[in-house]
Amino acid sequence: MANINKEILNLALPSIVSNITVPLLGLVDLTIVGHIGNENYIGAIAIGAMIFNIMYWILGFLRMGTSGMTSQAYGKTAWDESLRVLFRALTIGISMGFTFVLGQRFLELLMLKAMNTPESSIDFVRAYFRIAIYGAPAMLGLYGLTGWFIGMQNTKIPMMIAILQNIINILASLCFVFFMGWKIEGVATGTLVAQWSGFILALYFVKSGIKNGQLIPLEDHVSATWTLFSSTLKHIESWKKFFVVNRDIFFRTLCLVAVNMFFTSAGGKQGAMMLSVNTLLMTMFTLFSYFMDGFAYAGEALSGKYYGANDKVGFSKMKRQLFKFGVLMVVLFTFIYVVGGVDILRLLTDEQRVIAAASPYLIWVYLIPLAGVAAFVYDGIFIGITETKGMLVTSVIAMLFFFVFYFIAEPYWGNNALWIAFLMFLALRGLFQYFWAKQYIIHS
C-alpha cells in the first residue's frame, strides 16, 4: 500500500501545482490591462480568455484520450504503441489548431455573438482574438503531449512546463505592453509566445526523454522515430479506436459545458447580484476541482498502467487508495469551507452586499466536496482504462436529472434549486459511474 500511495502522490502533487498555475495566465493578463487605464481592456481580456477557455475545454479529449491509451501501453511495456499514441494525438491536435486558424473569421463572429460582447469592447476582443488564435496549434498539440506525459507516469514535466509558461507570459506581456506600447495586442502576443514556448519545451522533453531512456527505455527508438511515425498513419484500427475514445470524451465534455454554461446563465437571469453571488461561490468548486483533478490524473496514469499489465490486484488496491485520498480531500475542504467560507468570500470581494447575499447559499458549498469526490476519482479510472462510453452515458443521464430537477423546482426554490440541481449532477455522475463500474469493470 505504501508504494501505491507514493505512486499516487508522486503523480497527483505535480498535477495539482500545474492546475493551480493555469488560471495565472489569465490573471496576469487581467492585472496588466488593469494598469493600462481603460475598463474596456479588462472586459475584452475577460471575454477573450473565456472564448479560448471554451474552445480548448471542449477539446480536452485530446489530453484525456491520449493519457488513457498511453498508460495502457506503458503497462504493457509497448513502447512503440505509446509513441504511436503520441503521434496520433499530435497529428489531430495540430491539424485542428490550424483548422481554427484558417476558420478564424467564422469563429470570431460566432464567439463574439455567443458571448454577448458589449459594443464598446468588440474591437478590443477582436484584436486579442486575431493574435491569440495563432496559439491554437501549440495549445492543442500541448494537450496531446500533456496526456502522453501523464500516461508515461510523469506529471513533473507538465508541471515544469506550466510554471515556465507563466514566467514567459509575465515577462513577454510586460515587455510588449509597457516597453513597446502594444496594449491589448501586447497582452495577446505575450500569451501567444508563452503558448508556443510551452509546446516547444514539451517536444524537447519528449526528444531528450527518449534519447536518455527516461521515458522510453529503449534508445534505438530515436533512430526509428520516422519509421514509427510513418507506420502510425497506416494503423487504421488504432485510428478508429482513438477516434471512438475521443468522440465519447468530447460529447461527455459537452454535457459538462452545457451544465456549467446554463448554471452561469440561470444566475444571470436572476440579476447582477445573484450572478456575482454564484460566480464567487463557484470559485470554491473550482478550487476543490484543482486538487481532485490531480488525483484524477494519478488515476488515469495508474489505472491504465495496471489495466494494461493485466494486474487486477494492483488495480483494485490502487482504486481503494484513490478513494481514501478522496475522503481526505472531502474532510479537508469541507472543514475549510465550513470554518472559513465567509473569510474566503471576503478575500474574493470587499463588497459587503455581495457577501451578505452569498452567505445563505454557503450551505451548498459545504456539500460540494462530498457530492463531487466520486465523479473525479471515477473519471480518472474510466479514462485510464478507456471506458469512455461509461463516462458519456453517466454524464448524459446526470445532465438530464440536472435540467429536469431545476425546471421543476426553480419556481418554488429559486437560486437554491440551481445549486441543488448542480450538486445532484455531481453526485449522480459519481453514483452512476459506480454502478457502471460494478457492471462492466472487473474487480470494481
Side-chain angles (χ1 to χ4, degrees), residues 89-403:
L90 287 174
T91 300
I92 295 172
I94 294 172
S95 298
M96 292 185 70
F98 280 111
T99 300
F100 284 169
V101 171
L102 292 173
Q104 62 179 277
R105 292 306 167 93
F106 170 76
L107 279 173
E108 178 187 305
L109 291 172
L110 178 66
M111 298 306 287
L112 284 173
K113 188 173 182 180
M115 299 301 294
N116 294 315
T117 307
E119 192 69 31
S120 60
S121 296
I122 285 180
D123 288 341
F124 298 119
V125 176
R126 281 180 174 151
Y128 181 88
F129 180 87
R130 291 177 184 181
I131 294 173
I133 188 65
Y134 288 96
M139 284 298 293
L140 297 179
L142 190 55
Y143 273 20
L145 286 160
T146 300
W148 188 76
F149 285 125
I150 292 171
M152 295 301 291
Q153 318 295 300
N154 189 323
T155 56
K156 292 184 177 68
I157 289 177
M159 178 188 70
M160 288 189 291
I161 291 170
I163 292 171
L164 288 169
Q165 270 189 310
N166 278 286
I167 294 171
I168 293 168
N169 185 50
I170 292 169
L171 295 176
S173 295
L174 287 172
C175 177
F176 293 138
V177 172
F178 293 110
F179 290 99
M180 302 182 70
W182 289 2
K183 297 186 178 180
I184 200 162
E185 292 84 358
V187 173
T189 305
T191 300
L192 180 65
V193 169
Q195 290 169 339
W196 277 102
S197 297
F199 177 65
I200 292 168
L201 280 167
L203 289 176
Y204 169 77
F205 282 125
V206 171
K207 180 183 176 182
S208 62
I210 294 173
K211 184 176 180 180
N212 298 320
Q214 296 166 347
L215 295 170
I216 306 289
L218 293 173
E219 288 192 29
D220 60 352
H221 279 308
V222 179
S223 61
T225 298
W226 177 251
T227 304
L228 273 173
F229 177 73
S230 300
S231 66
T232 299
L233 301 176
K234 301 174 184 177
H235 281 240
I236 303 301
E237 290 303 316
S238 296
W239 278 100
K240 286 181 180 178
K241 180 184 178 183
F242 194 85
F243 279 113
V244 168
V245 167
N246 287 310
R247 177 202 64 194
D248 292 342
I249 298 174
F250 172 74
F251 285 112
R252 166 262 187 188
T253 303
L254 285 183
C255 293
L256 271 61
V257 170
V259 169
N260 280 275
M261 290 188 71
F262 182 84
F263 186 95
T264 301
S265 174
K269 287 181 180 178
Q270 299 176 68
M273 175 60 74
M274 202 54 66
L275 176 61
S276 298
V277 165
N278 287 346
T279 301
L280 290 175
L281 294 176
M282 187 56 79
T283 59
M284 300 198 204
F285 169 73
T286 304
L287 179 61
F288 176 68
S289 72
Y290 287 156
F291 281 78
M292 284 309 305
D293 271 339
F295 290 99
Y297 292 173
E300 292 174 23
L302 294 173
S303 61
K305 183 182 79 169
Y306 288 120
Y307 184 80
N310 198 30
D311 184 352
K312 295 177 182 177
V313 174
F315 180 87
S316 295
K317 288 180 179 178
M318 178 275 307
K319 184 174 74 79
R320 285 197 297 272
Q321 295 309 109
L322 269 180
F323 271 101
K324 287 180 181 178
F325 279 111
V327 170
L328 285 175
M329 291 299 103
V330 170
V331 173
L332 174 63
F333 277 90
T334 302
F335 176 79
I336 290 172
Y337 294 156
V338 170
V339 174
V342 175
D343 292 325
I344 294 173
L345 289 175
R346 287 176 181 148
L347 283 175
L348 296 171
T349 180
D350 56 4
E351 288 288 336
Q352 294 302 315
R353 292 193 310 120
V354 176
I355 295 172
S359 296
Y361 299 101
L362 278 172
I363 181 65
W364 308 125
V365 171
Y366 303 157
L367 297 175
I368 284 174
L370 181 62
V373 62
F376 281 102
V377 175
Y378 274 122
D379 275 353
I381 293 171
F382 278 37
I383 289 169
I385 64 175
T386 56
E387 184 57 52
T388 52
K389 182 180 178 181
M391 292 177 66
L392 173 59
V393 171
T394 54
S395 293
V396 169
I397 297 172
M399 179 185 68
L400 292 175
F401 271 91
F402 169 85
F403 284 112

